[in-house]
Amino acid sequence: MTLRNILLGATMLCAATTPAYAFAQDADASADTATTNDEAEYGNEIIVTATGRSQIAQDVPIALSVVGGEQLANAGISDIRGLRQVAPSLQVTTGQSSATGVVLRIRGIGTAGDNPGFEPAVGVFIDGVLRARAGVALADLPPIDRVEVLRGPQGTLFGRNTSAGALNIITQKPSCDLGGYAELSYGNYDEIEAKAGITGGLSEAVALRLDGGYHKRDGYIKDANSDRRFNDVDRWFVRGQALFEKDDISLRIIGDYAKTDEQCCGAINTNSGFLIAPNPADINTVLGFAASNVIQAFSANPLLGGAVGRVGIVRPFDAKSRTMATSPNRDLSEKVKEWGVSGELNWNLGDVTLTSITAYRDWKALRNQDIDFSGLDRAYRDGYRTGLTDFTQEIRFNGSAFDGGLDWLVGGFYLNEKTTLTDRVRFGTQADQFVDGMFNALTAGQPGLPVQGLQLYGTLGPLVPVYGGVPLPRTPDGGGQVADQYSVKTEAFALFTHNIVNFTDQLSLTLGLRYNHENKDIKANLNSVVPACSFLQSPGAAAYRAGLGARFPLVYLYACNPTVNSEFNGNYTGDRSESEFTGTAKLSFKVTDDVLLYGGYDRGYKSGGYNLDRGSFDSVLLGGNGAQITDLEFGNETADVFEVGVKSNFGHAFQVNASLFHSTFKGYQNNAFEGTRFVVRNFDKVISQGFSRSDFLAQA
């Protein structure tokens, strides 16, 4: 049984006549009224600022959802993964890593793949500051004012351009009213979550705020080979703010620091073997079927690996058991450290408002991983390090002209980013034994083979014949990547404008345009040592290689998998540059004060880049043209979106919003698994279309 909010709202420090939560009342009066200081002007309405102005959400011709801070707290949402509970059409999933494998999707579109070379199709902005990857925004969230989920391409309003949508997260500001809070919750698996904060004013113009949190929970997946547990939670954060407000100027400065140290990300094996027989014409399914059977054999036979632990779950899938097999000498540790500072200046210059947001962020992750996803010690990652440093500068000017006939906004955005990656994919102690077991199964009962039931490395003992009469050189524990190092520098700038032409009080036209230009430079230093792979590439092994390839062409890849293939060792450099125009055009008509009809077109864009994984290289021995830096390159992604919708507000108590959309993505970026490697691909066309509806009943 879960106990939530044991000390929710307990006062830490407060003035005698001021409630402890007074500083948050404007933002969190209720889940349906994420009101701000604009309440006096707009009344009890949901106000959004994602358009660069304060607007009533129901008057904005954009498909969006607004979730207030109180609703997030009541739902127990602590990070962006929990937003899927309250934001329609938003999906958040975690792959092989919570640091680098988090995927955000809006209307089914997102950027999947555990690869930091990808930029997200759904952008995350916290207090106007870009979080360059979805996993970078995964730390526990501080107290939230509201979250605005914008569907469809974004780029003419603020910040970095995105092709599928954006999360605009606004946190609670400091207040001159002295107050504080403390929250403690307890749940199953010994989950403990504690948060506390304090705010107050140094003067009438200066307010400070400090928030911190700690979150810990035991893992819920058991290791079949030990008493270890995976998918635990162990993280903390601290965040400080200073706010200066006087006359027509305000300056908000934020600094934060967060760390995680967890075992992530385990998954339950849903089936211990293939239920469908392989297609003899498809070597990948044949190899996969054989590999699955070999893992089964290792599980059942102590002579083939059972002595080191259970390498697979041989019983039928049982979700309640929550058990997975992991190599006893490997772990799934994941450590993340991030910090950042930002400053937002808002200056009312009369008829024009200036907004400037300057930010610097530093994020680092260190991971180990049992990448064969079984108790068989076949392959693992050791000391995978990735880092991101981002400097961003955004400037916006907005105002009105022609007696309210034109509401205009112009701005610019600059990004300077450095991505670093050190990868170490290595072979374990049973890598050669696994290949021998697989090859033995493949060659058993093969017509035309003078000798059947063969092995390659000689690990199955002297009674099993060796292919070619001479065993391949054995792979030492830790053989593979010594250290593959990548560095990508991105420099991007954009100019954008977003304008609303009000023909009448009922009819308006929104026109937006954005120009993007960016340049990426890559450097790669790749070094891998695999004795068997070096032998197969030697001139003296030509006959051996030809005989093996004639009947079993892809068995070569088990020694020379593209991820560790020593043929690709060396230093590489490259660069790419691109420019693109995007924009929006939408017409909206207010049938009544409470009903808005809108429709229009959006053009979205996401830049290309580099796959930070040698798996995209072409092997000369398999008919390719060798390793070239262009093999790692992928092109940009564009989106053309048509949408019509209606927003209705009946007496400010009941809302019905609906939209019909058709999105065509060209050059859609995705990470595809191709049997033995992950390869970045641009798909010619992906279509996302459908109908969405959200109803809302205001609280009494």
Side-chain angles (χ1 to χ4, degrees):
M1 180 178 181
T2 300
L3 301 176
R4 301 289 298 179
N5 302 332
I6 296 176
L7 297 177
L8 177 62
T11 301
M12 292 178 57
L13 181 63
C14 63
T17 59
T18 305
Y21 52 86
F23 67 89
Q25 275 188 323
D26 284 343
D28 290 336
S30 67
D32 59 292
T33 57
T35 55
T36 67
N37 291 331
D38 298 303
E39 183 176 2
E41 178 180 354
Y42 293 105
N44 189 25
E45 299 278 6
I46 300 176
I47 308 302
V48 297
T49 57
T51 61
R53 317 119 164 129
S54 293
Q55 290 183 279
I56 299 173
Q58 292 298 94
D59 291 345
V60 179
I62 299 175
L64 60 84
S65 297
V66 184
V67 184
E70 185 174 336
Q71 185 176 353
L72 296 175
N74 291 340
I77 295 172
S78 60
D79 59 38
I80 62 172
R81 285 178 294 192
L83 294 177
R84 58 191 170 186
Q85 303 176 39
V86 293
S89 76
L90 172 67
Q91 297 172 302
V92 187
T93 57
T94 302
Q96 299 177 24
S97 164
S98 64
T100 61
V102 174
V103 182
L104 302 180
R105 293 183 175 88
I106 289 181
R107 292 174 171 171
I109 297 296
T111 301
D114 184 11
N115 192 315
F118 274 129
E119 295 184 24
V122 178
V124 179
F125 301 84
I126 300 180
D127 292 322
V129 177
L130 170 72
R131 300 300 172 96
R133 305 292 186 273
V136 178
L138 200 58
D140 279 8
L141 294 169
I144 299 297
D145 178 52
R146 66 188 180 281
V147 176
E148 301 167 356
V149 183
L150 289 78
R151 303 178 185 88
Q154 306 300 323
T156 64
L157 293 168
F158 60 89
R160 186 73 159 148
N161 51 286
T162 62
S163 58
L167 299 184
N168 189 38
I169 301 174
I170 298 93
T171 66
Q172 294 180 8
K173 293 181 179 181
S175 171
C176 287
D177 294 327
L178 187 62
Y181 70 96
E183 176 182 342
L184 178 66
S185 63
Y186 177 80
N188 57 351
Y189 295 99
D190 286 332
E191 181 181 16
I192 297 175
E193 186 174 6
K195 290 184 179 181
I198 185 172
T199 189
L202 295 181
S203 67
E204 293 183 354
V206 179
L208 302 178
R209 179 178 181 126
L210 181 66
D211 294 283
Y214 173 73
H215 192 181
K216 186 176 179 64
R217 189 203 65 214
D218 293 340
Y220 57 83
I221 293 182
K222 296 175 290 186
D223 182 10
N225 294 314
S226 69
D227 59 355
R228 295 183 298 177
R229 288 182 176 269
F230 304 114
N231 294 13
D232 65 335
V233 174
D234 189 354
R235 55 183 59 182
W236 61 270
F237 78 90
V238 62
R239 193 172 193 259
Q241 300 183 64
L243 177 64
F244 170 81
E245 289 184 319
K246 189 172 183 179
D247 299 329
D248 296 326
I249 190 170
S250 71
L251 175 64
R252 184 185 185 188
I253 298 175
I254 304 173
D256 64 272
Y257 185 91
K259 290 185 71 174
T260 68
D261 186 358
E262 301 169 350
Q263 289 285 323
C264 185
C265 298
I268 302 172
N269 188 4
T270 58
N271 197 307
S272 56
F274 287 176
L275 296 178
I276 302 175
N279 177 6
D282 184 354
I283 188 67
N284 279 320
T285 64
V286 172
L287 289 178
F289 186 78
S292 178
N293 287 338
V294 169
I295 290 179
Q296 292 278 18
F298 272 74
S299 299
N301 190 339
L303 298 179
L304 295 179
V308 299
R310 298 168 61 191
V311 302
I313 304 299
V314 294
R315 64 178 178 274
F317 173 56
D318 179 8
K320 293 183 179 180
S321 70
R322 292 185 175 176
T323 301
M324 63 176 287
T326 305
S327 304
N329 51 341
R330 311 297 175 201
D331 66 11
L332 305 178
S333 65
E334 185 168 281
K335 299 179 180 181
V336 178
K337 179 173 65 176
E338 68 168 313
W339 64 273
V341 292
S342 65
E344 178 179 346
L345 172 68
N346 288 281
W347 194 354
N348 188 343
L349 302 174
D351 295 332
V352 178
T353 299
L354 163 67
T355 299
S356 173
I357 303 176
T358 307
Y360 179 85
R361 298 208 59 82
D362 183 279
W363 178 90
K364 293 181 175 64
L366 173 64
R367 294 168 48 202
N368 293 333
Q369 188 180 19
D370 186 7
I371 60 175
D372 56 58
F373 305 106
S374 73
L376 178 70
D377 189 22
R378 180 186 168 204
Y380 62 98
R381 266 195 168 105
D382 181 29
Y384 173 100
R385 295 178 180 271
T386 183
L388 283 168
T389 58
D390 289 272
F391 171 79
T392 57
Q393 174 63 57
E394 179 177 352
I395 295 179
R396 299 193 303 264
F397 296 90
N398 70 280
S400 61
F402 308 113
D403 294 326
L406 174 64
D407 187 356
W408 58 270
L409 181 149
V410 295
F413 178 78
Y414 174 77
L415 166 71
N416 190 307
E417 177 180 282
K418 183 177 181 180
T419 306
T420 57
L421 171 64
T422 299
D423 201 0
R424 296 182 178 92
V425 173
R426 297 178 171 177
F427 288 113
T429 57
Q430 295 178 292
D432 297 344
Q433 201 173 8
F434 169 81
V435 174
D436 276 350
M438 184 207 68
F439 193 67
N440 181 266
L442 283 175
T443 56
Q446 286 282 338
L449 280 179
V451 180
Q452 298 183 353
L454 301 169
Q455 61 176 325
L456 294 172
Y457 291 92
T459 63
L460 303 184
L463 299 181
V464 179
V466 175
Y467 177 84
V470 180
L472 288 176
R474 297 244 182 129
T475 307
D477 179 21
Q481 294 176 359
V482 176
D484 278 8
Q485 297 178 329
Y486 302 86
S487 174
V488 178
K489 293 183 179 180
T490 301
E491 190 170 32
F493 70 86
L495 299 174
F496 55 89
T497 181
H498 188 91
N499 308 283
I500 304 172
V501 181
N502 298 306
F503 298 111
T504 68
D505 291 340
Q506 288 77 38
L507 182 65
S508 63
L509 175 66
T510 300
L511 296 174
L513 184 67
R514 183 184 181 104
Y515 171 74
N516 303 275
H517 176 80
E518 60 186 88
N519 188 79
K520 285 185 170 73
D521 296 297
I522 184 173
K523 293 182 180 179
N525 181 0
L526 311 182
N527 186 10
S528 178
V529 176
V530 183
C533 186
S534 298
F535 166 77
L536 291 174
Q537 293 171 10
S538 65
Y544 182 100
R545 191 171 59 245
L548 184 67
R551 185 175 289 269
F552 307 105
L554 291 188
V555 171
Y556 164 84
L557 296 177
Y558 279 94
C560 293
N561 187 291
T563 306
V564 296
N565 192 338
S566 54
E567 176 190 339
F568 306 146
N569 288 351
N571 293 300
Y572 303 86
T573 60
D575 66 90
R576 59 174 284 122
S577 180
E578 57 188 285
S579 300
E580 188 79 19
F581 281 97
T582 60
T584 183
K586 291 183 178 178
L587 191 66
S588 60
F589 179 72
K590 297 204 71 171
V591 181
T592 68
D593 289 342
D594 296 324
V595 178
L596 174 73
L597 300 177
Y598 68 93
Y601 166 78
D602 289 297
R603 170 79 170 178
Y605 159 79
K606 183 159 71 80
S607 65
Y610 292 95
N611 177 25
L612 306 187
D613 186 325
R614 65 166 72 189
S616 297
F617 287 136
D618 298 322
S619 172
V620 172
L621 297 180
L622 292 180
N625 59 359
Q628 302 174 55
I629 195 65
T630 53
D631 294 335
L632 305 185
E633 190 172 348
F634 55 89
N636 61 29
E637 172 181 306
T638 61
D640 295 289
V641 181
F642 296 90
E643 182 173 0
V644 294
V646 59
K647 293 186 174 185
S648 59
N649 193 14
F650 299 100
H652 306 302
F654 181 64
Q655 296 176 359
V656 177
N657 297 340
S659 64
L660 184 68
F661 63 91
H662 179 95
S663 308
T664 301
F665 291 81
K666 296 181 180 179
Y668 179 69
Q669 302 167 359
N670 206 358
N671 216 18
F673 182 66
E674 299 186 352
T676 57
R677 59 181 180 170
F678 285 93
V679 181
V680 178
R681 298 297 187 196
N682 285 101
F683 292 85
D684 290 340
K685 182 186 293 187
V686 171
I687 294 177
S688 171
Q689 59 185 0
F691 172 79
S692 64
R693 171 180 166 179
S694 61
D695 302 339
F696 177 76
L697 180 63
Q699 295 179 352

